[in-house]
Amino acid sequence: MPQHAHPVDDARITVDESVFRNVAGHFASGVTVITTDDGERRYGTTASAVSSLSMDPPMMLVCLNRSSTTHDAVARSGRFAISILSVEQDLLARHFGRKGEDKFADVPWSAGPHGLPLLDGALATVECTVAETAVGGTHTVFLGTVVSAEARPGEPLAYYRGRFGALEQSTEAAVYAGVRSWVLTRRTPLGSALEVAGLAAELEADSAYVYNALVRLVTENLVERTVDGGFAPTPVTEALVRNLYGARATIETGVVDQYLARASDEELAAIAERAAALATAPTSTSAELDAFLEANLEFHCTIVGLAGSRQLVQHFRQLSIATVWRESYRSRMWQDREGHPFIPRIAEALVSRDTPAALELIRRQVDFVTATAIRMITEQGGAL
């Protein structure tokens, strides 16, 4: 076995902080929210430095920054809970990653068997009592004895190089998603050029991947080639809306027609749970509309997921142009509750395994959303 001839001299270790941060960012890690209750209020913070420590006895390891109020609350209470987030919960990860007074306002949660706050919809939850602590740098390491644990089916949310996503998402797919979001949220305004080098720098991505993403978006009619060979955002028009929503309807109704009869009760219960949350979701502010649009997309993706094809769900997701609507959230149309009753009714038909009713309701909702989007485009002069 090779041995070091000379011990490492700690005094000579001079790793630049920015270099280390970049290297550490190449670890793909699961995303959790650490919560506690100190008897006076609830606390929570997003954390990725979490791992299982021991199976006998069951123990978990959590690292929390000592500047965090959640850190201090865990130290006071001597207990903490871990909510392991699902791939659909990236907005919650961002929410609990920010500073704030009451992070639980408008966030669905439930008390665990030992009274700790657990986030609804989490992939798995664990409650712990603090057994030991250790200090390392700016963080405290809490070693917790597990007192309750529960899991449900689903895919975990991952954190890699400063971004949230699915564990299976390749680098190129992640760049494509980032470029698509950039285009649809109009971070480059209509009439301006999409510069490959500039986008690569903003997204911290390889220029070749950015170029490939733009070419792909040209085939989706979301980006167009300019006379000088460059790229520019394409206006969202009535024709594009009809084409994309028509394709989504074809996929969703096809899945329901072929797979509803064999869907499990657990899958249908998950659809009903998403519908219940959407039915009363507010849309009167930009932030509320963002959350609603994302939750609505995930509701329909869960339906498409009945086919058991990750690729089909990914394709369905890529047909969405919902993020562009946030530019026009002030329109009264998004506060019109007329379209929302379709969501619980679709879920009800699916849970009842009433295929004809579900197909009819999905088509009617697509018609409603298409008409609303077209009216919004008309309000904006014919293009967004």
Side-chain angles (χ1 to χ4, degrees):
M1 178 181 295
Q3 297 183 356
H4 295 291
H6 304 285
V8 176
D9 183 352
D10 289 347
R12 293 184 297 172
I13 297 177
T14 56
V15 178
D16 183 83
E17 181 180 345
S18 62
V19 173
F20 176 71
R21 185 184 299 275
N22 178 55
V23 171
H26 283 70
F27 285 103
S29 57
V31 183
T32 72
V33 171
I34 308 303
T35 56
T36 193
D37 185 331
D38 66 355
E40 296 183 0
R41 55 174 288 197
R42 295 175 295 276
Y43 299 82
T45 188
T46 301
S48 56
V50 176
S51 68
S52 59
L53 179 65
S54 167
M55 298 301 293
D56 186 18
M59 295 187 72
M60 296 292 295
L61 178 154
V62 170
C63 296
L64 295 177
N65 194 307
R66 295 200 302 277
S67 67
S68 163
T69 57
T70 302
H71 166 281
D72 294 345
V74 171
R76 288 194 304 271
S77 67
R79 58 187 194 146
F80 61 87
I82 305 168
S83 293
I84 302 174
L85 301 187
S86 70
V87 71
E88 300 90 357
Q89 293 181 306
D90 58 309
L91 292 179
L92 275 181
R94 293 184 176 89
H95 173 75
F96 279 92
R98 295 190 291 263
K99 300 288 185 182
E101 288 298 317
D102 184 5
K103 294 183 181 178
F104 287 85
D106 301 322
V107 171
W109 65 278
S110 304
H114 293 265
L116 289 169
L118 308 176
L119 301 187
D120 292 354
L123 193 64
T125 54
V126 183
E127 290 180 286
C128 297
T129 58
V130 176
E132 299 179 48
T133 62
V135 175
T138 58
H139 286 61
T140 296
V141 181
F142 293 95
L143 308 183
T145 301
V146 176
V147 293
S148 78
E150 185 177 357
R152 68 178 182 84
E155 297 181 30
L157 180 66
Y159 187 74
Y160 177 70
R161 295 188 67 183
R163 294 180 177 82
F164 297 112
L167 281 173
E168 79 282 357
Q169 193 173 39
S170 69
T171 301
E172 189 163 10
V175 173
Y176 162 79
V179 174
R180 193 176 195 276
S181 176
W182 182 287
V183 170
L184 285 178
T185 54
R186 298 301 188 233
R187 294 183 67 180
T188 294
L190 291 176
S192 300
L194 291 158
E195 300 289 349
V196 173
L199 275 173
E202 289 284 351
L203 299 174
E204 299 180 1
D206 188 287
S207 295
Y209 288 160
V210 171
Y211 180 87
N212 293 343
L214 289 170
V215 170
R216 185 171 168 184
L217 291 172
V218 169
T219 68
E220 297 178 26
N221 295 317
L222 297 178
V223 167
E224 60 187 1
R225 300 305 300 262
T226 58
V227 292
D228 61 356
F231 300 92
T234 300
V236 176
T237 62
E238 177 179 341
L240 180 60
V241 166
R242 291 190 184 279
N243 180 51
L244 291 177
Y245 281 119
R248 282 163 56 89
T250 298
I251 292 174
E252 192 168 7
T253 55
V255 167
V256 170
D257 190 44
Q258 292 295 316
Y259 296 99
L260 178 57
R262 69 186 77 169
S264 69
D265 291 341
E266 291 76 12
E267 289 174 318
L268 298 180
I271 293 171
E273 182 179 339
R274 290 189 182 279
L278 273 168
T280 57
T283 57
S284 57
T285 69
S286 180
E288 289 172 346
L289 177 58
D290 278 352
F292 172 82
L293 293 173
E294 182 64 26
N296 182 70
L297 176 59
E298 294 306 327
F299 168 74
H300 291 286
C301 283
T302 305
I303 296 174
V304 175
L306 295 176
S309 169
R310 187 172 297 169
Q311 291 76 16
L312 187 61
V313 173
Q314 182 178 3
H315 179 62
F316 181 85
R317 189 186 301 276
Q318 290 167 359
L319 290 169
S320 172
I321 55 172
T323 49
V324 79
W325 306 136
R326 69 185 61 173
E327 297 299 314
S328 304
Y329 80 91
R330 292 181 182 83
S331 170
R332 288 177 299 173
M333 286 178 246
W334 284 114
Q335 299 177 44
D336 180 355
R337 308 308 296 180
E338 179 185 346
H340 294 267
F342 284 117
I343 296 170
R345 290 171 63 191
I346 289 171
E348 183 180 355
L350 292 172
V351 170
S352 301
R353 301 180 189 272
D354 187 341
T355 299
L359 294 175
E360 174 63 19
L361 287 165
I362 289 171
R363 293 189 185 103
R364 288 176 60 189
Q365 191 200 26
V366 170
D367 289 343
F368 170 82
V369 173
T370 301
T372 301
I374 290 171
R375 286 167 57 199
M376 189 178 300
I377 289 171
T378 301
E379 278 190 352
Q380 300 297 316
L384 279 176

